[in-house]
Amino acid sequence: DAGVTQSPTHLIKTRGQQVTLRCSPKSGHDTVSWYQQALGQGPQFIFQYYEEEERQRGNFPDRFSGHQFPNYSSELNVNALLLGDSALYLCASSLVGAGTDTQYFGPGTRLTVL
Amino acid sequence: AQSVTQLGSHVSVSEGALVLLRCNYSSSVPPYLFWYVQYPNQGLQLLLKYTSAATLVKGINGFEAEFKKSETSFHLTKPSAHMSDAAEYFCAVSDSQGGSEKLVFGKGTKLTVNP
């Protein structure tokens, strides 16, 4: 049973550039959430996608956008990168209606903005 | 809005000693609570979850947590620490406001196990 996978593992960008991160959910899951984890901090919710729609959004600017595909995989896009966007980006998947919507996390993508 | 507070950003124990990591929650509704572990340079792994079925929850790797409503606490314990338990631990509460169940995390507690 494949777990949550993310690509790439690491990424280095410069300020002002744009980046796309990818996530494939755990088999059987239909919901994808994205979190940003800055160094030394707990993860912070960016947004969640279900049925190809953004279901809820955290306190992040519009530079952060996402997409969910019919196969439930998802992308996170960040435009006009800032130094402060350097973080570990975590994808989590879950199954709507499974009771507690327990979220299972991928290994993350480490983004460094120079 | 729901929130959690983890007391102690660093905890150090000797191998074989009791592990106690503290978490207090704030919630206007009966909460769903979680403990996740993060090993260096890895994602988060679910240790255990509380969903109101039982107040004492057993998880993986010998960890357990007890939900105490009167104290608004959900502390994580393990009777005997192993070197392999060294990691960062995050307490989280599920916030269903807004139509989805996003997780709200504490700032984490880094556990060091000394030989």
Side-chain angles (χ1 to χ4, degrees):
Chain A
D1 179 18
V4 180
T5 60
Q6 292 186 243
S7 63
T9 305
H10 295 87
L11 207 50
I12 299 176
K13 293 286 188 178
T14 56
R15 281 177 295 175
Q17 285 189 311
Q18 178 264 343
V19 68
T20 297
L21 311 181
R22 296 176 175 82
C23 171
S24 291
K26 181 179 169 66
S27 178
H29 285 185
D30 58 7
T31 302
V32 172
S33 304
W34 286 93
Y35 293 81
Q36 180 195 65
Q37 185 180 16
L39 199 61
Q41 300 294 319
Q44 286 198 301
F45 176 77
I46 302 175
F47 41 54
Q48 184 179 87
Y49 276 83
Y50 171 66
E51 290 189 338
E52 302 180 50
E53 296 285 336
E54 184 181 286
R55 199 178 179 200
Q56 190 180 4
R57 188 178 186 91
N59 189 24
F60 279 81
D62 292 344
R63 298 186 297 108
F64 290 77
S65 63
H67 189 77
Q68 186 178 34
F69 299 94
N71 67 353
Y72 307 118
S73 66
S74 176
E75 288 183 348
L76 164 65
N77 300 292
V78 187
N79 294 322
L81 285 167
L82 303 174
L83 295 179
D85 296 331
S86 294
L88 180 67
Y89 287 85
L90 295 165
C91 169
S93 73
S94 56
L95 179 62
V96 167
T100 61
D101 278 16
T102 300
Q103 296 187 18
Y104 294 87
F105 285 80
T109 294
R110 174 76 61 187
L111 173 64
T112 302
V113 182
L114 302 176
Chain B
Q2 279 84 339
S3 66
V4 292
T5 301
Q6 292 184 242
L7 301 177
S9 57
H10 289 84
V11 170
S12 182
V13 301
S14 298
E15 193 173 17
L18 171 72
V19 176
L20 171 60
L21 304 182
R22 301 177 186 273
C23 173
N24 288 89
Y25 69 89
S26 172
S27 177
S28 57
V29 297
Y32 290 155
L33 293 161
F34 304 80
W35 276 99
Y36 284 87
V37 61
Q38 185 175 37
Y39 297 100
N41 300 313
Q42 293 188 27
L44 301 176
Q45 181 182 6
L46 179 67
L47 275 177
L48 51 81
K49 62 183 180 184
Y50 168 75
T51 59
S52 75
T55 56
L56 183 62
V57 182
K58 294 188 182 297
I60 62 172
N61 301 339
F63 284 94
E64 63 182 35
E66 186 172 8
F67 174 75
K68 292 186 177 180
K69 184 178 180 180
S70 61
E71 299 178 8
T72 62
S73 69
F74 189 57
H75 301 332
L76 182 71
T77 60
K78 182 174 180 178
S80 177
H82 295 162
M83 297 295 291
S84 60
D85 294 327
E88 189 145 25
Y89 293 79
F90 292 94
C91 180
V93 63
S94 180
D95 183 347
S96 60
Q97 296 176 25
S100 70
E101 293 196 16
K102 69 178 184 182
L103 290 173
V104 178
F105 287 87
K107 292 187 176 182
T109 298
K110 186 173 182 179
L111 175 66
T112 301
V113 182
N114 302 305

